Amino acid sequence: MLQPILSHLSRKRIILASGSPRRKEILRNIGLDFEVIPSTFEETLDKSSFDSPQSYVLENARRKTFEVKERLTEQDEMADLLIGADTVVALDGQILEKPKEPEVAFQMLTSLSGRTHFVHTGVVLVASKVNDGKLAFEVNTFNEDTEVTFGNLTPEIINSYIATGEPLDKAGGYGIQAIGGTLVESIRGDYFNVVGFPLHHFCKELLSIHQNFWS
Amino acid sequence: MLQPILSHLSRKRIILASGSPRRKEILRNIGLDFEVIPSTFEETLDKSSFDSPQSYVLENARRKTFEVKERLTEQDEMADLLIGADTVVALDGQILEKPKEPEVAFQMLTSLSGRTHFVHTGVVLVASKVNDGKLAFEVNTFNEDTEVTFGNLTPEIINSYIATGEPLDKAGGYGIQAIGGTLVESIRGDYFNVVGFPLHHFCKELLSIHQNFWS
């Protein structure tokens, strides 16, 4: 979708403010050229102070992106585009963290078995340009929500999946792009959002920034 | 999902009767060990003689799998499991072929723009075992259907996507796992089915074959 503007984009400095290897791979995969500057913002926001997982991920994405923006501004090295994102898995409106122990992963995957949960991503795009010798900014934010339905999983299936090591440190305790893909009966929405970045929506926003802000 | 039986499966001779690099990758990705023997069955069935794309892909998958089965039987080298599959893209019940020319790809992608189409796969599994000194077979077949909704695509987006070379020789004129993923607004069903193989359903069938036929 970005092919018509890829040569324009190659002359822009684009920064992904996230260290996630999966986000990086999704964006490299479509031919986008960018640097990675992971945000140092620690995800310490109180989840209970947000009215929904959607507003939580959007605020996290905003903090991450603006932390990198501040750093670049101090160094007088502002980029043309900053991309920040945060993704969570939620069941019945409750956010499931990244499990650090096998026992927690077991509980998590058991709760997801045979049910439908959501993957929520918040994306913040900060575009800049020089206008009359001064930097001008435009901030785009959006949410993307994808429904994911798991098949019925026996304790044996769950335990042997945990033994692969894949569930640990993954939101919701699974990775759809690898062995975890076998657990997923169906999804509804953008697959790449479940991997960690809402690709189609991002491309639409970037086309719009190109046409309405940069041009 | 197959982890509990992977060590059993590693002692079986499993053959994928398809040369599709994407099917191979999906199955390798989950740790399955298998050989590839592409079927020589030519897809010459008259589509108009089938009442639906689903019955067409299932019959194609059956012919492909049984061609390999006959060959192995002649060589007295029957495998424990043969996996055959066929996938088509259909819009309004009409099958969209793999475009061979850019003009055909343009028409195809234009017809998919802003609309929902289906990806239909038929899978045939032929399991064998020795029973009282004789070979016994069990044949499992199933269909998997996934809905795919494209965003609105301008002629410029379509043409520049075709210029990447990706649409040629891909069912429906796109590949969701690469640049084509940017065109897809949402899906409903199994993502891996759109790539070319219904992963979750296959794992369920294989677990069932292990429990009810091989054990």
Side-chain angles (χ1 to χ4, degrees), chain B:
Chain B
M1 210 165 158
L2 294 181
Q3 266 62 39
I5 64 166
L6 267 190
S7 66
H8 294 272
L9 292 176
S10 69
R11 292 191 292 274
K12 301 280 183 193
R13 185 176 181 215
I14 300 175
I15 289 171
L16 175 63
S18 162
S20 154
R22 284 172 289 277
R23 289 198 185 110
K24 193 173 144 183
E25 198 189 326
I26 290 170
L27 290 172
R28 288 255 186 268
N29 201 24
I30 61 161
L32 198 70
D33 213 11
F34 58 92
E35 299 163 51
V36 176
I37 302 184
S39 176
T40 59
F41 171 72
E42 289 187 39
E43 297 180 16
T44 51
L45 300 173
D46 178 11
K47 290 181 186 65
S48 65
S49 67
F50 291 88
D51 61 357
S52 67
Q54 285 96 324
S55 53
Y56 171 74
V57 286
L58 207 53
E59 185 57 23
N60 255 332
R62 191 177 284 125
R63 302 280 185 113
K64 288 182 186 179
T65 317
F66 278 82
E67 184 279 320
V68 173
K69 178 175 180 289
E70 298 308 313
R71 245 194 297 161
L72 292 173
T73 304
E74 279 173 23
Q75 298 163 358
D76 210 12
E77 288 189 347
M78 197 49 212
D80 299 294
L81 182 70
L82 294 177
I83 306 166
D86 189 45
T87 300
V88 296
V89 167
L91 181 68
D92 301 328
Q94 295 298 308
I95 292 173
L96 303 183
E97 311 283 348
K98 298 173 182 175
K100 294 203 179 351
E101 292 95 34
E103 296 73 24
V104 180
F106 184 83
Q107 280 174 5
M108 214 171 265
L109 290 164
T110 301
S111 74
L112 297 177
S113 169
R115 298 198 56 201
T116 298
H117 64 272
F118 275 93
V119 176
H120 302 289
T121 300
V123 174
V124 172
L125 304 175
V126 180
S128 75
K129 66 177 174 185
V130 177
N131 215 349
D132 289 335
K134 286 176 68 178
L135 262 184
F137 291 97
E138 185 177 87
V139 179
N140 275 268
T141 67
F142 65 89
N143 275 103
E144 183 84 20
D145 311 304
T146 305
E147 270 182 49
V148 180
T149 303
F150 267 38
N152 289 308
L153 312 178
T154 62
E156 191 189 9
I157 288 174
I158 293 174
N159 276 322
S160 58
Y161 177 48
I162 292 169
T164 66
E166 191 177 287
L168 295 186
D169 261 333
K170 289 216 171 53
Y174 72 98
I176 195 172
Q177 70 285 349
I179 301 166
T182 64
L183 313 176
V184 175
E185 192 175 281
S186 69
I187 73 163
R188 192 171 175 174
D190 184 347
Y191 166 79
F192 297 100
N193 191 41
V194 186
V195 182
F197 196 74
L199 187 59
H200 177 75
H201 202 149
F202 165 75
C203 292
K204 263 172 65 175
E205 294 289 338
L206 195 46
L207 277 173
S208 164
I209 291 170
H210 172 80
Q211 281 160 11
N212 305 318
F213 180 69
W214 282 335
S215 297

